[in-house]
Amino acid sequence: MKRFFALCILLPGLDAATFHHTAAAQTVLDNSAQKASPFVKATLKTLTERFSTAHPKFRNLAVHTNSDKKQVVCGQVSLSENKAPAEESFMSFGAAEDSEQPVVYEARTIPATLDSREANQWINHGADLEELEELGCVPEGSYRQYGDTLNKVLQDHKINTTR
């Protein structure tokens, strides 16, 4: 009886947010998750928990094996609140069976001018693209193209500041 009484007092005090995080569902917009392996489902669950406040939407899921015979899942995720997210809201992601966390890369255009204090931020941003390329989730040469563009912007900044 005491337990029942304590439960009756505690339950109304818990807010809805407490229960919200336990039931995270994945929304796959294009049915590409049909026949998804447990690894793919776990990856989607991890990303859903990581972006729990945004209700992520997934598409273009593809699975292949790497040279170590481990599964790799690639796809795109949108954090848009719209039921039909805009094309530019999707970010590429990938994960390998032996990795800890999925890698998510938000494609952002490198500005024409860049303060040298921001260089490390852009270099670190490109590291996610490099990982996705190694996983086979983006075309080969994507990271090199990103690095070339970043180096050109930084070189132009260096030339302009020395004048």
Side-chain angles (χ1 to χ4, degrees):
M1 185 69 168
K2 290 179 186 177
R3 289 183 189 151
F4 177 73
F5 181 69
L7 189 60
C8 290
I9 291 174
L10 290 175
L11 279 179
L14 296 175
D15 61 351
T18 305
F19 296 106
H20 173 71
H21 294 293
T22 58
Q26 298 96 26
T27 302
V28 181
L29 298 173
D30 61 358
N31 296 324
S32 58
Q34 292 175 344
K35 301 178 187 174
S37 69
F39 163 68
V40 172
K41 289 177 184 177
T43 301
L44 295 180
K45 182 180 179 193
T46 300
L47 287 169
T48 300
E49 290 170 355
R50 182 169 159 186
F51 301 116
S52 62
T53 59
H55 307 292
K57 295 162 190 70
F58 302 96
R59 71 175 188 184
N60 299 338
L61 300 178
V63 179
H64 63 272
T65 55
N66 62 15
S67 59
D68 297 332
K69 305 290 185 216
K70 301 283 185 179
Q71 277 189 337
V72 175
V73 62
C74 302
Q76 295 178 331
V77 60
S78 174
L79 305 178
S80 172
E81 294 296 320
N82 299 331
K83 273 189 173 181
E87 186 71 28
E88 61 272 3
S89 72
F90 283 93
M91 302 176 286
S92 297
F93 76 87
E97 257 184 307
D98 55 355
S99 65
E100 292 179 22
Q101 288 288 324
V103 177
V104 179
Y105 174 74
E106 179 185 357
R108 291 185 282 165
T109 305
I110 299 171
T113 60
L114 193 61
D115 186 351
S116 58
R117 292 174 289 188
E118 299 175 38
N120 282 340
Q121 184 179 27
W122 286 94
I123 291 167
N124 291 339
H125 180 71
D128 291 338
L129 182 61
E130 181 180 29
E131 282 188 60
L132 287 179
E133 187 175 324
E134 289 173 1
L135 288 171
C137 295
V138 296
E140 196 170 318
S142 298
Y143 177 68
R144 186 173 357 102
Q145 183 180 4
Y146 175 88
D148 290 348
T149 303
L150 182 59
N151 285 334
K152 183 179 180 336
V153 169
L154 292 172
Q155 189 66 30
D156 290 347
H157 175 73
K158 185 177 179 181
I159 291 170
N160 292 335
T161 57
T162 57
R163 287 185 185 175

